[in-house]
Amino acid sequence: MPATKQQQLQYIANLIKDCQKCSLYQTALNPVPGDGNPDAKIVFIGEAPGAHEDEQGLPFVGNSGKLLDKLLNTINIPRRDVFICNILKHRPPENRDPTLDEIKVCVPYLKAQLKIIKPKIVITLGRFALNYFLPDELISRARGKIRQIEWQGIDLTLIPVYHPSAGLRNGAMLKSLEDDFQSIGKFLKNI
Ligand code: SF4
């Protein structure tokens, strides 16, 4: 019998648990492969785990995660219906930015996850996830724009928004996030 999506995702999570392709595994407490519905139509992709995520091995469980939950609530999307993960699967020390080398060696895991889940919609949170799909785009220009892309032979709707942590630091960015989630809600109602 072929492996279920859940089993395939678990296989990737096990690879991540044993991964030593960059130095981040040495300082992180836990790997954070991602979490959610293996049949999700929507996948959210952030940057990297933070302190709470590192402690619990789960994505978006700290303050950024609480804000993400709130934003999801405003458009009636239950968190259990989506899959949430990051570009990097281990926490960079002191939450520093990911390096290009770390991204390069880590993204094959994300790629494998997306190929298993086959979402229709990818919502990128912040510039690192956006630039994985659209390397030359600026988050300030791309945010809230809904576009169709072909990625690795898969047709996707890509919706970039600011990272929730930016919304926690800056009122204008929070407003943009709220507006963009309302646009996402309207878009979802019409498909
Ligand atoms: S961050 Fe990614 S590439 Fe680096 S050790 Fe963790 S899983 Fe491997």
Side-chain angles (χ1 to χ4, degrees), residues 15-16 19-25 87-91 102 105-106 109:
L15 293 180
I16 291 168
C19 182
Q20 300 186 357
K21 286 199 286 174
C22 78
S23 63
L24 295 181
Y25 79 95
I87 292 279
L88 292 188
K89 310 304 190 186
H90 284 99
R91 181 191 183 203
E102 287 161 355
V105 291
C106 204
Y109 297 122

Side-chain angles (χ1 to χ4, degrees), residues 46-47 87 97-100 103 125-133:
E47 177 179 319
I87 292 279
D97 284 349
T99 67
L100 288 178
I103 293 173
L125 304 165
R127 68 186 167 104
F128 286 96
L130 163 66
N131 289 153
Y132 172 60
F133 292 95

Side-chain angles (χ1 to χ4, degrees), residues 72 85 125:
L72 286 170
C85 59
L125 304 165

Side-chain angles (χ1 to χ4, degrees), residues 74-107:
T74 64
I75 55 171
N76 299 317
I77 299 180
R79 183 156 166 159
R80 65 175 178 278
D81 284 2
V82 303
F83 190 87
I84 304 178
C85 59
N86 285 299
I87 292 279
L88 292 188
K89 310 304 190 186
H90 284 99
R91 181 191 183 203
E94 310 301 324
N95 294 351
R96 65 155 170 75
D97 284 349
T99 67
L100 288 178
D101 282 347
E102 287 161 355
I103 293 173
K104 192 170 158 205
V105 291
C106 204
V107 288

Side-chain angles (χ1 to χ4, degrees), residues 35-143:
D35 185 50
N37 189 331
D39 293 311
K41 298 279 175 287
I42 306 174
V43 170
F44 286 83
I45 306 172
E47 177 179 319
H52 294 282
E53 290 74 18
D54 186 38
E55 275 164 24
Q56 297 183 42
L58 291 167
F60 284 88
V61 288
N63 288 337
S64 292
K66 287 194 187 106
L67 176 56
L68 180 60
D69 288 346
K70 226 188 256 180
L71 292 163
L72 286 170
N73 276 340
T74 64
I75 55 171
N76 299 317
I77 299 180
R79 183 156 166 159
R80 65 175 178 278
D81 284 2
V82 303
F83 190 87
I84 304 178
C85 59
N86 285 299
I87 292 279
L88 292 188
K89 310 304 190 186
H90 284 99
R91 181 191 183 203
E94 310 301 324
N95 294 351
R96 65 155 170 75
D97 284 349
T99 67
L100 288 178
D101 282 347
E102 287 161 355
I103 293 173
K104 192 170 158 205
V105 291
C106 204
V107 288
Y109 297 122
L110 172 67
K111 210 184 273 187
Q113 290 171 317
L114 291 175
K115 289 198 167 179
I116 293 165
I117 299 169
K118 297 189 178 65
K120 297 268 178 268
I121 300 168
V122 167
I123 300 178
T124 55
L125 304 165
R127 68 186 167 104
F128 286 96
L130 163 66
N131 289 153
Y132 172 60
F133 292 95
L134 302 173
D136 298 325
E137 262 297 4
L138 293 175
I139 182 72
S140 54
R141 193 170 57 192
R143 60 144 274 256

